Amino acid sequence: MSTGGPDILSKKDDTLKDSDVSNKSRWYSRFQLDLESSEWDVLLLSTVFKLLLFPSYRSTDFEVHRNWLAITHTLPISQWYYDTTSEWTLDYPPFFAYFEKLLSIPASFIDPAIVDLRNLNYGSWSVIAYQRTTVIITELVLAAAVLRFIRSAVDRPTQRIISASLLLHPGFIIVDHIHFQYNGFMFGILLWSILMAREGRKLASGILFAVLLNFKHIYLYLAPAYFIYLLRSFCFSPTGTPMLKNFLALANGVIVVFLLSFGPFILMGQVPQVFSRLFPFTRGLNHAYWAPNMWALVTAADRVLLKIVQHGGADLAVNPSGVASTSRGLVGDTVFAVLPNIKPVHTFVVTVLFQCVFLAKLWLSPTYKSFVTALTLCGYTSFVFGWHVHEKAVLLVLVPLSLLAAERHAYFRTYIIASVAGVYSLFPLLFTPTESLIKVLYSVIWLAAVYVLLSSRTYEFPKSMIYVIMDVLEKVYLAGFVPLHLVVALLPHMKGGSSGALEFLPFMLTSVYCAVGLVWGFLRLVFIYMHEDAAYQGQLTEIR
């Protein structure tokens, strides 16, 4: 017995070890299966939530798109860009017009009144359900793209977090599923294009981006990064030798896309008319409510200086026409009262100068990560310094920036600051009580989930006192959104809040405070990109 005991125990230990390995293997397999099934669970839950938003507030954009359904269904193509039956005239590129034409066909069977050109502001349940359903269905392009990002990733758990954060992004919930637009569909095309670049299929990437430009021309903000990246990495060899075959393939592919889009209008001689709709240069510096960019800060500074002058605090010349302009916050020319006026050429020059710096680095280091960062910065620069920027254009910053969020702590912190400021800047789009509660709760839950899941993967302890101070100030800024929201929520209920001196104050406070975060995020990302060496740029801890 004394000789048999140890052998039996040894065999028992081996059996237990084998059992542990087997259990761990089964647990890991089950964990992987759960993660893969969770991807579909996220899609299902997000779809159910979006269906519940059907009765929610909808903006004038809802009638804009209903009218476009009517225009493309009722009128011949020769009249699409001339029709003025409604004030909401067709002003997107031809591919989007064809897209509306396609959507109008089932709409005409569901309820002919939807595509009645004279039936302005039609709001029956049939049109509400139909148009909101089309947003959910077309957003599957985005869902497919983020799922493909996961399938081709090395670090799948991290990529799942990023993909889920994009599919569930508050920006899409606010702008598409409540306010009403089709950004999810179009950003899905953008993500497919970026994915093709990551997989080395650069011709497909360029063609997809050309398709996207013909759906919505605001993506021209990103075009410089695409041009330099594809030219350098696809049309030139690593040694700098031109590859004419690749250049011709790319050029011909893009030309074919534009001919498919604009071909009918070229034949009809209507290209100038189409362009007059796409680029209405008569609009002012700021949109209806100041987009949170550099010009919001400049406009606010002009207003403060005006108050100082009016109270005798400074002896500065005042432009009388600027007194009303800086107060109303409406669409139109923004005329400053004290500061020099900003003209379109000024915004163009500043934007191009900044972009040239990023594009020069991209040319020298045409890696995938360098491309995504330069792409984000091109969109960011256009948002921060562009002419008549819409607040919804912040999605051009937040979506590509999401792809960089897990790179390291510097990117993650930039992503969090830009996301909080960017999402909050969209809050004024929804002002009814029910939607106000939804936007706040949903955004807080989304941010908390993303922060908890990604922060542990990227956290770095501050390396110097400067970084400690910066860390504290950034946290104070983020915490400041709580009192800001309380002030913005209470101001309309104060005497004179609904009309008079305080009417525009909540919008101004929101715009300026968010502008501080977004401009700081821009400077942060510029510093990160310009100080990374080429070796690190080529790594992209890929999540791929």
Side-chain angles (χ1 to χ4, degrees):
M1 290 184 64
S2 61
T3 59
D7 290 338
I8 293 172
L9 290 174
S10 177
K11 290 178 181 178
K12 184 177 180 181
D13 289 343
D14 290 342
T15 302
L16 287 173
K17 288 176 183 177
D18 291 342
S19 176
D20 287 344
V21 171
S22 178
N23 287 336
K24 287 179 181 179
S25 178
R26 284 197 298 270
W27 178 86
Y28 182 76
S29 298
R30 186 182 305 167
F31 178 69
Q32 287 295 102
L33 185 62
D34 288 344
L35 281 177
E36 290 176 7
S37 65
S38 69
E39 296 163 8
W40 297 104
D41 292 340
V42 169
L43 178 60
L44 178 61
L45 288 174
S46 69
T47 301
V48 171
F49 177 68
K50 291 162 187 174
L51 288 170
L52 293 175
L53 293 175
F54 272 24
S56 61
Y57 159 82
R58 56 192 187 277
S59 72
T60 54
D61 278 348
F62 188 87
E63 169 59 17
V64 169
H65 288 278
R66 189 216 61 82
N67 185 58
W68 291 359
L69 290 175
I71 289 173
T72 55
H73 186 81
T74 306
L75 300 176
I77 189 173
S78 60
Q79 297 180 33
W80 287 2
Y81 286 94
Y82 284 93
D83 179 73
T84 56
T85 305
S86 166
E87 62 179 307
W88 312 119
T89 54
L90 182 59
D91 59 5
Y92 274 24
F95 271 178
F96 201 91
Y98 306 150
F99 171 72
E100 292 280 7
K101 173 68 175 178
L102 183 64
L103 295 181
S104 74
I105 297 171
S108 66
F109 290 102
I110 292 170
D111 181 359
I114 296 175
V115 292
D116 184 344
L117 191 58
R118 301 286 175 179
N119 194 16
L120 303 181
N121 298 310
Y122 185 52
S124 75
W125 180 246
S126 61
V127 68
I128 294 170
Y130 178 72
Q131 290 201 177
R132 290 207 183 279
T133 300
T134 62
V135 174
I136 293 175
I137 292 174
T138 57
E139 197 180 54
L140 291 175
V141 175
L142 172 67
V146 297
L147 185 63
R148 177 67 175 269
F149 265 96
I150 297 171
R151 294 288 185 262
S152 60
V154 170
D155 184 359
R156 286 195 177 188
T158 301
Q159 182 60 62
R160 282 190 177 92
I161 297 168
I162 293 173
S163 291
S165 74
L166 282 167
L167 184 62
L168 302 171
H169 202 285
F172 293 138
I173 296 296
I174 292 171
V175 179
D176 285 9
H177 297 281
I178 300 179
H179 188 270
F180 196 84
Q181 280 190 0
Y182 290 92
N183 289 286
F185 165 62
M186 288 180 284
F187 274 102
I189 300 174
L190 175 64
L191 288 175
W192 274 107
S193 176
I194 294 173
L195 182 65
M196 292 298 99
R198 192 178 80 171
E199 294 182 354
R201 299 166 63 182
K202 294 168 186 175
L203 177 58
S205 176
I207 290 174
L208 278 173
F209 184 69
V211 169
L212 181 60
L213 286 177
N214 283 276
F215 270 99
K216 194 170 183 180
H217 49 302
I218 195 173
Y219 292 96
L220 280 169
Y221 287 176
L222 310 179
Y226 265 95
F227 177 76
I228 294 299
Y229 175 66
L230 293 175
L231 182 65
R232 181 65 183 88
S233 66
F234 185 67
C235 302
F236 284 85
S237 70
T239 59
T241 304
M243 295 188 288
L244 186 59
K245 182 180 177 181
N246 285 358
F247 176 80
L248 291 176
L250 181 61
N252 289 333
V254 171
I255 289 171
V256 167
V257 169
F258 275 86
L259 285 177
L260 289 173
S261 177
F262 282 89
F265 303 97
I266 293 172
L267 294 174
M268 293 184 292
Q270 292 186 4
V271 172
Q273 174 63 22
V274 175
F275 272 69
S276 70
R277 289 284 183 87
L278 300 183
F279 303 102
F281 292 110
T282 55
R283 295 174 180 174
L285 174 65
N286 295 316
H287 188 43
Y289 121 74
W290 308 339
N293 60 10
M294 179 60 71
W295 309 128
L297 298 178
V298 173
T299 306
D302 182 77
R303 185 175 174 83
V304 170
L305 289 172
L306 175 62
K307 292 294 182 183
I308 292 173
V309 171
Q310 289 175 335
H311 288 84
D315 185 17
L316 298 172
V318 174
N319 181 354
S321 61
V323 176
S325 176
T326 55
S327 301
R328 66 175 187 264
L330 303 175
V331 175
D333 291 335
T334 300
V335 181
F336 292 151
V338 179
L339 296 176
N341 288 318
I342 304 295
K343 299 183 183 298
V345 65
H346 300 148
T347 65
F348 178 78
V349 169
V350 174
T351 300
V352 169
L353 287 176
F354 268 100
Q355 288 186 347
C356 283
V357 175
F358 315 138
L359 298 177
K361 179 157 189 175
L362 178 59
W363 180 269
L364 296 173
S365 177
T367 64
Y368 169 71
K369 183 187 174 184
S370 183
F371 165 59
V372 175
T373 312
L375 181 75
T376 306
L377 281 168
C378 280
Y380 217 149
T381 304
S382 299
F383 180 83
V384 170
F385 298 109
W387 179 265
H388 195 79
V389 174
H390 288 234
E391 63 280 359
K392 289 168 281 191
V394 74
L395 291 174
L396 284 169
V397 176
L398 302 183
V399 171
L401 184 58
S402 300
L403 301 177
L404 299 165
E407 275 302 291
R408 57 191 179 92
H409 185 68
Y411 283 102
F412 173 71
R413 179 57 72 89
T414 305
Y415 165 75
I416 289 296
I417 293 171
S419 294
V420 173
V423 169
Y424 194 89
S425 73
L426 297 172
F427 279 13
L429 293 174
L430 308 179
F431 48 83
T432 50
T434 302
E435 285 70 30
S436 295
L437 181 63
I438 291 172
K439 71 187 181 186
V440 173
L441 287 179
Y442 184 87
S443 299
V444 169
I445 293 170
W446 177 86
L447 177 67
V450 171
Y451 186 87
V452 169
L453 293 171
L454 285 182
S455 61
S456 60
R457 287 170 161 81
T458 61
Y459 181 74
E460 296 175 11
F461 191 79
K463 299 176 182 177
S464 67
M465 184 56 65
I466 293 177
Y467 287 105
V468 171
I469 295 172
M470 185 187 302
D471 182 69
V472 171
L473 290 176
E474 288 174 348
K475 287 178 179 176
V476 169
Y477 171 77
L478 292 173
F481 278 94
V482 176
L484 171 66
H485 188 71
L486 293 175
V487 171
V488 168
L490 292 174
L491 271 177
H493 302 288
M494 297 174 63
K495 184 177 180 181
S498 59
S499 62
L502 298 180
E503 181 181 9
F504 187 59
L505 188 56
F507 298 105
M508 186 186 76
L509 290 175
T510 300
S511 179
V512 171
Y513 197 79
C514 292
V516 171
L518 284 165
V519 171
W520 173 244
F522 170 73
L523 296 175
R524 241 182 167 279
L525 190 59
V526 170
F527 181 85
I528 295 168
Y529 183 55
M530 298 309 297
H531 283 77
E532 281 186 339
D533 58 33
Y536 188 86
Q537 281 289 338
Q539 290 175 10
L540 190 54
T541 346
E542 274 178 77
I543 312 188
R544 72 171 171 173

